[in-house]
Amino acid sequence: RHKKIFRRINYILLSIVLCFIFVIICMALFLKIEHIEVRGNERYTKEQIIDESGISVGQNLYAINKKTAEGAIIAEYPYVSDVVIRRKLPSTLNFKVYEDQPKYFTEICGEYYILSDTLRVLERTTEMPSTEEHPLVRIMFSEIKSAVVGESVAFDKDLTFDYIHNFIQALDGHEAAKQLTSIDLTKKYNIYVTYQDRFKIYLGDNSETEMKLTFAELMINTFEPAQRG
């Protein structure tokens, strides 16, 4: 009786192993990449994204390392904030690309740094960014520790980033933010913003930003279009 039980157990285990081997062989022979789809990319081409991933048509769908491919794309293309790669059986690989949009620019030692709305450095250039086609808001900082393309701006004090980031988030939540042309954050508790290149608005610190902008806009709306101040 015991021998029969052990024999059955051995048959079951052998069947599981054979099924597993069969599945592996099928995956290796049949689940090959035939189509690669890329979506969400605007600044970089489909070919650039695929080439940098190191993945190509003909590879096994389950033999690729998705994390490595995603990391390689983000490291090479600074405007890409995230990439998600998904398998679609039987033979398709989908790339979903998320790109940051340029929102601000700042000047450091004669060079210009293009920044996202989260203060991630997207680009470094020696030429003044054009504000006609894609309006960028000039932003001025102090205590900058580093500005590396692909990374967030770093400040001498860790709390400075949180202070500035919270202020910018509150700013972006207000309709008046679309009319701003510059932001002066060189002094954390003496913040100034420029409205339509017409008015310089003193906001003080980063508290109650939306309320301050609301009052400022109510006053500006009572002025004549040619007035400045």
Side-chain angles (χ1 to χ4, degrees), residues 22-64:
F22 178 75
V23 169
I24 295 297
I25 292 173
C26 287
M27 289 173 61
L29 293 177
F30 302 110
L31 295 180
K32 292 186 180 295
I33 301 171
E34 295 180 9
H35 308 284
I36 299 178
E37 299 176 353
V38 180
R39 296 178 181 177
N41 57 307
E42 295 180 5
R43 190 169 293 269
Y44 308 108
T45 66
K46 172 183 176 180
E47 290 72 24
Q48 286 177 305
I49 297 295
I50 295 174
D51 288 345
E52 193 58 41
S53 72
I55 299 171
S56 59
V57 171
Q59 287 183 276
N60 183 272
L61 200 61
Y62 283 90
I64 62 171

